Amino acid sequence: LLLGQLGRRTAAVQLLLLVGTTVLGAITVALSGSWGSNAGPWQELLRSSLGLEESVIDAAHCRFSFSSFGLLYALMATQLIIAHMAKEPFGPCFLALGCFGAAILNTLVLHIASPSLVMLALHALALAGYLIYTTGVIGQICEHLGINCLTIKPTKDA
């Protein structure tokens, strides 16, 4: 059904964007388990300044990477649903691609910041991006329909 509306090329591009973002997210999650070996001076500074054990920091890596992946995947799925309902082409989720790419580059190549801080920033950015997108879409839908969101107007009889 979607293929007939968009054409083979557009559908293939959309599928590649979804698969690419999912693969980058999976790489980010997989790297979260290996940060102990790639910790570097930032990781040691974080551990010593907060007085936390290595297992606590490693658990935080995993939690932030999984929850960030979940938020960015939810953002992508929400964008896909809205694009389908509005009969518009699905564009790339640049937020997800950028976040996953930055986390992977920092962990494997750049080592600019602690992987813990990068994952925390990634999580905050993913949450902010999702909230901004969903509240914007809800606002546009409510404005178009002329309704209020989550409010009940009192009847004139009351």
Side-chain angles (χ1 to χ4, degrees):
L1 181 65
L2 183 64
L3 183 62
Q5 293 175 352
L6 298 176
R8 290 188 184 274
R9 182 167 192 245
T10 305
V13 168
Q14 290 179 0
L15 180 62
L16 285 175
L17 288 170
L18 289 170
V19 169
T21 306
T22 303
V23 167
L24 285 176
I27 292 170
T28 303
V29 169
L31 286 174
S32 70
S34 66
W35 280 336
S37 60
N38 297 332
W42 289 101
Q43 192 74 2
E44 287 304 317
L45 178 65
L46 184 67
R47 285 183 182 141
S48 62
S49 64
L50 294 177
L52 298 173
E53 295 180 21
E54 186 173 334
S55 62
V56 173
I57 299 291
D58 290 341
H61 286 310
C62 291
R63 286 187 188 109
F64 282 131
S65 64
F66 275 103
S67 61
S68 299
F69 180 59
L71 280 169
L72 290 171
Y73 192 81
L75 174 62
M76 244 181 9
T78 304
Q79 288 176 338
L80 185 62
I81 291 167
I82 295 297
H84 176 71
M85 297 303 290
K87 295 187 180 12
E88 293 288 327
F90 173 71
C93 185
F94 292 115
L95 178 64
L97 293 171
C99 286
F100 291 143
I104 292 168
L105 278 175
N106 181 67
T107 302
L108 296 179
V109 179
L110 301 176
H111 306 290
I112 294 173
S114 163
S116 297
L117 296 177
V118 171
M119 285 315 302
L120 181 61
L122 172 69
H123 184 75
L125 191 60
L127 182 61
Y130 184 76
L131 290 175
I132 289 169
Y133 180 78
T134 54
T135 56
V137 167
I138 290 169
Q140 288 177 2
I141 290 171
C142 289
E143 183 180 326
H144 178 74
L145 296 176
I147 59 174
N148 294 325
C149 181
L150 301 176
T151 59
I152 300 173
K153 291 182 182 179
T155 60
K156 293 182 180 180
D157 298 343

